[in-house]
PDB file of all heavy atoms in Angstrom:
ATOM      1  N   ALA A   1       0.825  -1.208   0.000  1.00 98.00           N
ATOM      2  CA  ALA A   1       0.000   0.000   0.000  1.00 98.00           C
ATOM      3  C   ALA A   1       0.857   1.255   0.000  1.00 98.00           C
ATOM      4  O   ALA A   1       0.586   2.215  -0.748  1.00 98.00           O
ATOM      5  CB  ALA A   1      -0.932  -0.011   1.206  1.00 98.00           C
ATOM      6  N   ASP A   2       1.894   1.267   0.816  1.00 98.00           N
ATOM      7  CA  ASP A   2       2.766   2.438   0.879  1.00 98.00           C
ATOM      8  C   ASP A   2       3.547   2.615  -0.418  1.00 98.00           C
ATOM      9  O   ASP A   2       3.746   3.747  -0.889  1.00 98.00           O
ATOM     10  CB  ASP A   2       3.731   2.313   2.061  1.00 98.00           C
ATOM     11  CG  ASP A   2       3.039   2.476   3.402  1.00 98.00           C
ATOM     12  OD1 ASP A   2       1.860   2.900   3.414  1.00 98.00           O
ATOM     13  OD2 ASP A   2       3.664   2.178   4.437  1.00 98.00           O
ATOM     14  N   HIS A   3       3.980   1.513  -0.999  1.00 97.00           N
ATOM     15  CA  HIS A   3       4.774   1.584  -2.227  1.00 97.00           C
ATOM     16  C   HIS A   3       3.966   2.175  -3.385  1.00 97.00           C
ATOM     17  O   HIS A   3       4.480   2.984  -4.168  1.00 97.00           O
ATOM     18  CB  HIS A   3       5.278   0.187  -2.597  1.00 97.00           C
ATOM     19  CG  HIS A   3       6.107   0.149  -3.847  1.00 97.00           C
ATOM     20  ND1 HIS A   3       7.436   0.525  -3.872  1.00 97.00           N
ATOM     21  CD2 HIS A   3       5.797  -0.208  -5.127  1.00 97.00           C
ATOM     22  CE1 HIS A   3       7.910   0.392  -5.100  1.00 97.00           C
ATOM     23  NE2 HIS A   3       6.934  -0.044  -5.887  1.00 97.00           N
ATOM     24  N   TYR A   4       2.702   1.775  -3.481  1.00 98.00           N
ATOM     25  CA  TYR A   4       1.867   2.211  -4.603  1.00 98.00           C
ATOM     26  C   TYR A   4       0.941   3.377  -4.248  1.00 98.00           C
ATOM     27  O   TYR A   4       0.202   3.856  -5.116  1.00 98.00           O
ATOM     28  CB  TYR A   4       1.039   1.039  -5.125  1.00 98.00           C
ATOM     29  CG  TYR A   4       1.879  -0.013  -5.804  1.00 98.00           C
ATOM     30  CD1 TYR A   4       2.136  -1.236  -5.188  1.00 98.00           C
ATOM     31  CD2 TYR A   4       2.422   0.202  -7.068  1.00 98.00           C
ATOM     32  CE1 TYR A   4       2.910  -2.214  -5.802  1.00 98.00           C
ATOM     33  CE2 TYR A   4       3.204  -0.761  -7.694  1.00 98.00           C
ATOM     34  CZ  TYR A   4       3.437  -1.969  -7.054  1.00 98.00           C
ATOM     35  OH  TYR A   4       4.205  -2.923  -7.675  1.00 98.00           O
ATOM     36  N   GLY A   5       0.964   3.814  -2.997  1.00 98.00           N
ATOM     37  CA  GLY A   5       0.112   4.925  -2.598  1.00 98.00           C
ATOM     38  C   GLY A   5      -1.367   4.589  -2.629  1.00 98.00           C
ATOM     39  O   GLY A   5      -2.187   5.423  -3.062  1.00 98.00           O
ATOM     40  N   ILE A   6      -1.712   3.393  -2.174  1.00 98.00           N
ATOM     41  CA  ILE A   6      -3.093   2.939  -2.180  1.00 98.00           C
ATOM     42  C   ILE A   6      -3.515   2.549  -0.760  1.00 98.00           C
ATOM     43  O   ILE A   6      -2.692   2.559   0.162  1.00 98.00           O
ATOM     44  CB  ILE A   6      -3.292   1.745  -3.137  1.00 98.00           C
ATOM     45  CG1 ILE A   6      -2.355   0.586  -2.767  1.00 98.00           C
ATOM     46  CG2 ILE A   6      -3.037   2.191  -4.582  1.00 98.00           C
ATOM     47  CD1 ILE A   6      -2.508  -0.652  -3.647  1.00 98.00           C
ATOM     48  N   ALA A   7      -4.776   2.213  -0.587  1.00 98.00           N
ATOM     49  CA  ALA A   7      -5.319   1.917   0.737  1.00 98.00           C
ATOM     50  C   ALA A   7      -5.468   0.414   0.958  1.00 98.00           C
ATOM     51  O   ALA A   7      -5.679  -0.350   0.023  1.00 98.00           O
ATOM     52  CB  ALA A   7      -6.675   2.601   0.920  1.00 98.00           C
ATOM     53  N   VAL A   8      -5.386   0.042   2.238  1.00 98.00           N
ATOM     54  CA  VAL A   8      -5.686  -1.317   2.684  1.00 98.00           C
ATOM     55  C   VAL A   8      -7.103  -1.331   3.238  1.00 98.00           C
ATOM     56  O   VAL A   8      -7.454  -0.521   4.102  1.00 98.00           O
ATOM     57  CB  VAL A   8      -4.707  -1.777   3.781  1.00 98.00           C
ATOM     58  CG1 VAL A   8      -5.080  -3.173   4.279  1.00 98.00           C
ATOM     59  CG2 VAL A   8      -3.270  -1.758   3.267  1.00 98.00           C
ATOM     60  N   TYR A   9      -7.919  -2.256   2.737  1.00 98.00           N
ATOM     61  CA  TYR A   9      -9.310  -2.366   3.152  1.00 98.00           C
ATOM     62  C   TYR A   9      -9.532  -3.654   3.943  1.00 98.00           C
ATOM     63  O   TYR A   9      -9.024  -4.723   3.571  1.00 98.00           O
ATOM     64  CB  TYR A   9     -10.233  -2.427   1.925  1.00 98.00           C
ATOM     65  CG  TYR A   9     -10.339  -1.165   1.126  1.00 98.00           C
ATOM     66  CD1 TYR A   9      -9.329  -0.785   0.242  1.00 98.00           C
ATOM     67  CD2 TYR A   9     -11.476  -0.360   1.205  1.00 98.00           C
ATOM     68  CE1 TYR A   9      -9.442   0.363  -0.526  1.00 98.00           C
ATOM     69  CE2 TYR A   9     -11.599   0.794   0.436  1.00 98.00           C
ATOM     70  CZ  TYR A   9     -10.583   1.145  -0.421  1.00 98.00           C
ATOM     71  OH  TYR A   9     -10.697   2.278  -1.189  1.00 98.00           O
ATOM     72  N   VAL A  10     -10.348  -3.554   5.014  1.00 98.00           N
ATOM     73  CA  VAL A  10     -10.720  -4.719   5.805  1.00 98.00           C
ATOM     74  C   VAL A  10     -12.040  -4.381   6.500  1.00 98.00           C
ATOM     75  O   VAL A  10     -12.432  -3.196   6.574  1.00 98.00           O
ATOM     76  CB  VAL A  10      -9.611  -5.085   6.824  1.00 98.00           C
ATOM     77  CG1 VAL A  10      -9.601  -4.121   8.003  1.00 98.00           C
ATOM     78  CG2 VAL A  10      -9.721  -6.528   7.297  1.00 98.00           C
ATOM     79  N   HIS A  11     -12.747  -5.375   7.018  1.00 98.00           N
ATOM     80  CA  HIS A  11     -13.987  -5.101   7.737  1.00 98.00           C
ATOM     81  C   HIS A  11     -13.686  -4.466   9.095  1.00 98.00           C
ATOM     82  O   HIS A  11     -12.690  -4.797   9.740  1.00 98.00           O
ATOM     83  CB  HIS A  11     -14.788  -6.393   7.928  1.00 98.00           C
ATOM     84  CG  HIS A  11     -16.209  -6.167   8.321  1.00 98.00           C
ATOM     85  ND1 HIS A  11     -16.598  -5.966   9.632  1.00 98.00           N
ATOM     86  CD2 HIS A  11     -17.347  -6.093   7.579  1.00 98.00           C
ATOM     87  CE1 HIS A  11     -17.907  -5.786   9.674  1.00 98.00           C
ATOM     88  NE2 HIS A  11     -18.395  -5.856   8.446  1.00 98.00           N
ATOM     89  N   GLU A  12     -14.568  -3.580   9.536  1.00 98.00           N
ATOM     90  CA  GLU A  12     -14.352  -2.875  10.800  1.00 98.00           C
ATOM     91  C   GLU A  12     -14.260  -3.825  11.996  1.00 98.00           C
ATOM     92  O   GLU A  12     -13.593  -3.514  12.987  1.00 98.00           O
ATOM     93  CB  GLU A  12     -15.469  -1.867  11.029  1.00 98.00           C
ATOM     94  CG  GLU A  12     -16.857  -2.463  11.113  1.00 98.00           C
ATOM     95  CD  GLU A  12     -17.948  -1.414  11.217  1.00 98.00           C
ATOM     96  OE1 GLU A  12     -17.615  -0.236  11.428  1.00 98.00           O
ATOM     97  OE2 GLU A  12     -19.130  -1.775  11.074  1.00 98.00           O
ATOM     98  N   GLU A  13     -14.900  -4.983  11.920  1.00 97.00           N
ATOM     99  CA  GLU A  13     -14.858  -5.947  13.017  1.00 97.00           C
ATOM    100  C   GLU A  13     -13.513  -6.671  13.099  1.00 97.00           C
ATOM    101  O   GLU A  13     -13.296  -7.485  14.002  1.00 97.00           O
ATOM    102  CB  GLU A  13     -15.986  -6.970  12.863  1.00 97.00           C
ATOM    103  CG  GLU A  13     -17.379  -6.408  12.986  1.00 97.00           C
ATOM    104  CD  GLU A  13     -17.680  -5.898  14.394  1.00 97.00           C
ATOM    105  OE1 GLU A  13     -17.117  -6.466  15.359  1.00 97.00           O
ATOM    106  OE2 GLU A  13     -18.448  -4.929  14.526  1.00 97.00           O
ATOM    107  N   GLU A  14     -12.626  -6.383  12.161  1.00 97.00           N
ATOM    108  CA  GLU A  14     -11.339  -7.082  12.126  1.00 97.00           C
ATOM    109  C   GLU A  14     -10.194  -6.259  12.688  1.00 97.00           C
ATOM    110  O   GLU A  14      -9.038  -6.705  12.715  1.00 97.00           O
ATOM    111  CB  GLU A  14     -11.041  -7.499  10.681  1.00 97.00           C
ATOM    112  CG  GLU A  14     -10.121  -8.690  10.535  1.00 97.00           C
ATOM    113  CD  GLU A  14     -10.655  -9.990  11.099  1.00 97.00           C
ATOM    114  OE1 GLU A  14     -11.755 -10.020  11.687  1.00 97.00           O
ATOM    115  OE2 GLU A  14      -9.957 -11.004  10.964  1.00 97.00           O
ATOM    116  N   LYS A  15     -10.473  -5.060  13.164  1.00 96.00           N
ATOM    117  CA  LYS A  15      -9.413  -4.207  13.704  1.00 96.00           C
ATOM    118  C   LYS A  15      -8.662  -4.901  14.849  1.00 96.00           C
ATOM    119  O   LYS A  15      -7.432  -4.900  14.897  1.00 96.00           O
ATOM    120  CB  LYS A  15      -9.997  -2.886  14.208  1.00 96.00           C
ATOM    121  CG  LYS A  15     -10.363  -1.903  13.114  1.00 96.00           C
ATOM    122  CD  LYS A  15     -10.735  -0.550  13.702  1.00 96.00           C
ATOM    123  CE  LYS A  15      -9.514   0.138  14.299  1.00 96.00           C
ATOM    124  NZ  LYS A  15      -9.816   1.519  14.747  1.00 96.00           N
ATOM    125  N   LYS A  16      -9.398  -5.509  15.765  1.00 95.00           N
ATOM    126  CA  LYS A  16      -8.767  -6.158  16.918  1.00 95.00           C
ATOM    127  C   LYS A  16      -7.906  -7.324  16.489  1.00 95.00           C
ATOM    128  O   LYS A  16      -6.809  -7.533  17.026  1.00 95.00           O
ATOM    129  CB  LYS A  16      -9.844  -6.622  17.907  1.00 95.00           C
ATOM    130  CG  LYS A  16      -9.299  -7.213  19.196  1.00 95.00           C
ATOM    131  CD  LYS A  16     -10.420  -7.549  20.161  1.00 95.00           C
ATOM    132  CE  LYS A  16      -9.877  -8.136  21.460  1.00 95.00           C
ATOM    133  NZ  LYS A  16     -10.995  -8.457  22.412  1.00 95.00           N
ATOM    134  N   THR A  17      -8.392  -8.088  15.511  1.00 96.00           N
ATOM    135  CA  THR A  17      -7.602  -9.214  15.005  1.00 96.00           C
ATOM    136  C   THR A  17      -6.279  -8.732  14.444  1.00 96.00           C
ATOM    137  O   THR A  17      -5.215  -9.293  14.741  1.00 96.00           O
ATOM    138  CB  THR A  17      -8.382  -9.978  13.915  1.00 96.00           C
ATOM    139  OG1 THR A  17      -9.627 -10.435  14.453  1.00 96.00           O
ATOM    140  CG2 THR A  17      -7.586 -11.176  13.409  1.00 96.00           C
ATOM    141  N   MET A  18      -6.319  -7.689  13.633  1.00 97.00           N
ATOM    142  CA  MET A  18      -5.114  -7.199  12.978  1.00 97.00           C
ATOM    143  C   MET A  18      -4.130  -6.585  13.972  1.00 97.00           C
ATOM    144  O   MET A  18      -2.924  -6.842  13.896  1.00 97.00           O
ATOM    145  CB  MET A  18      -5.473  -6.166  11.912  1.00 97.00           C
ATOM    146  CG  MET A  18      -6.209  -6.725  10.724  1.00 97.00           C
ATOM    147  SD  MET A  18      -6.448  -5.477   9.447  1.00 97.00           S
ATOM    148  CE  MET A  18      -4.767  -5.245   8.853  1.00 97.00           C
ATOM    149  N   GLU A  19      -4.642  -5.787  14.875  1.00 96.00           N
ATOM    150  CA  GLU A  19      -3.765  -4.973  15.721  1.00 96.00           C
ATOM    151  C   GLU A  19      -3.181  -5.733  16.898  1.00 96.00           C
ATOM    152  O   GLU A  19      -2.143  -5.338  17.442  1.00 96.00           O
ATOM    153  CB  GLU A  19      -4.549  -3.758  16.224  1.00 96.00           C
ATOM    154  CG  GLU A  19      -4.949  -2.806  15.103  1.00 96.00           C
ATOM    155  CD  GLU A  19      -5.880  -1.693  15.567  1.00 96.00           C
ATOM    156  OE1 GLU A  19      -6.208  -1.667  16.779  1.00 96.00           O
ATOM    157  OE2 GLU A  19      -6.277  -0.859  14.730  1.00 96.00           O
ATOM    158  N   ASN A  20      -3.807  -6.823  17.308  1.00 95.00           N
ATOM    159  CA  ASN A  20      -3.385  -7.559  18.498  1.00 95.00           C
ATOM    160  C   ASN A  20      -2.654  -8.842  18.120  1.00 95.00           C
ATOM    161  O   ASN A  20      -3.237  -9.743  17.512  1.00 95.00           O
ATOM    162  CB  ASN A  20      -4.616  -7.888  19.352  1.00 95.00           C
ATOM    163  CG  ASN A  20      -4.250  -8.402  20.726  1.00 95.00           C
ATOM    164  OD1 ASN A  20      -3.242  -9.080  20.897  1.00 95.00           O
ATOM    165  ND2 ASN A  20      -5.083  -8.102  21.707  1.00 95.00           N
ATOM    166  N   PRO A  21      -1.376  -8.970  18.458  1.00 96.00           N
ATOM    167  CA  PRO A  21      -0.625 -10.179  18.111  1.00 96.00           C
ATOM    168  C   PRO A  21      -1.252 -11.464  18.655  1.00 96.00           C
ATOM    169  O   PRO A  21      -1.085 -12.535  18.065  1.00 96.00           O
ATOM    170  CB  PRO A  21       0.755  -9.935  18.733  1.00 96.00           C
ATOM    171  CG  PRO A  21       0.866  -8.448  18.841  1.00 96.00           C
ATOM    172  CD  PRO A  21      -0.520  -7.962  19.129  1.00 96.00           C
ATOM    173  N   ALA A  22      -1.986 -11.363  19.751  1.00 94.00           N
ATOM    174  CA  ALA A  22      -2.628 -12.551  20.311  1.00 94.00           C
ATOM    175  C   ALA A  22      -3.753 -13.054  19.423  1.00 94.00           C
ATOM    176  O   ALA A  22      -4.134 -14.227  19.502  1.00 94.00           O
ATOM    177  CB  ALA A  22      -3.170 -12.243  21.706  1.00 94.00           C
ATOM    178  N   PHE A  23      -4.267 -12.182  18.557  1.00 96.00           N
ATOM    179  CA  PHE A  23      -5.385 -12.560  17.696  1.00 96.00           C
ATOM    180  C   PHE A  23      -4.983 -12.767  16.240  1.00 96.00           C
ATOM    181  O   PHE A  23      -5.686 -13.475  15.518  1.00 96.00           O
ATOM    182  CB  PHE A  23      -6.494 -11.517  17.781  1.00 96.00           C
ATOM    183  CG  PHE A  23      -7.130 -11.419  19.124  1.00 96.00           C
ATOM    184  CD1 PHE A  23      -7.187 -10.212  19.804  1.00 96.00           C
ATOM    185  CD2 PHE A  23      -7.671 -12.542  19.735  1.00 96.00           C
ATOM    186  CE1 PHE A  23      -7.781 -10.117  21.060  1.00 96.00           C
ATOM    187  CE2 PHE A  23      -8.265 -12.465  20.985  1.00 96.00           C
ATOM    188  CZ  PHE A  23      -8.317 -11.252  21.654  1.00 96.00           C
ATOM    189  N   ASN A  24      -3.887 -12.140  15.799  1.00 96.00           N
ATOM    190  CA  ASN A  24      -3.526 -12.305  14.384  1.00 96.00           C
ATOM    191  C   ASN A  24      -2.626 -13.518  14.131  1.00 96.00           C
ATOM    192  O   ASN A  24      -2.213 -13.761  12.996  1.00 96.00           O
ATOM    193  CB  ASN A  24      -2.916 -11.023  13.803  1.00 96.00           C
ATOM    194  CG  ASN A  24      -1.585 -10.638  14.424  1.00 96.00           C
ATOM    195  OD1 ASN A  24      -0.720 -11.466  14.670  1.00 96.00           O
ATOM    196  ND2 ASN A  24      -1.400  -9.319  14.662  1.00 96.00           N
ATOM    197  N   CYS A  25      -2.341 -14.271  15.180  1.00 95.00           N
ATOM    198  CA  CYS A  25      -1.684 -15.582  15.077  1.00 95.00           C
ATOM    199  C   CYS A  25      -0.222 -15.526  14.637  1.00 95.00           C
ATOM    200  O   CYS A  25       0.350 -16.541  14.227  1.00 95.00           O
ATOM    201  CB  CYS A  25      -2.452 -16.519  14.140  1.00 95.00           C
ATOM    202  SG  CYS A  25      -4.143 -16.848  14.667  1.00 95.00           S
ATOM    203  N   CYS A  26       0.418 -14.365  14.753  1.00 94.00           N
ATOM    204  CA  CYS A  26       1.805 -14.257  14.319  1.00 94.00           C
ATOM    205  C   CYS A  26       2.758 -15.067  15.192  1.00 94.00           C
ATOM    206  O   CYS A  26       3.899 -15.339  14.781  1.00 94.00           O
ATOM    207  CB  CYS A  26       2.235 -12.794  14.265  1.00 94.00           C
ATOM    208  SG  CYS A  26       2.115 -11.919  15.839  1.00 94.00           S
TER     209      CYS A  26
END
């Protein structure tokens, strides 16, 4: 997204999954 100057889209209910390492399974 940063390289091409575009946006990343996801559902609003997925913010916690993405932002929290305990939920994004990394």
Side-chain angles (χ1 to χ4, degrees):
D2 289 349
H3 180 79
Y4 291 106
I6 57 179
V8 177
Y9 291 78
V10 75
H11 195 276
E12 60 185 349
E13 295 293 329
E14 205 63 357
K15 284 189 69 174
K16 185 176 180 180
T17 302
M18 292 186 70
E19 294 173 0
N20 191 327
F23 295 125
N24 65 42
C25 300
C26 59

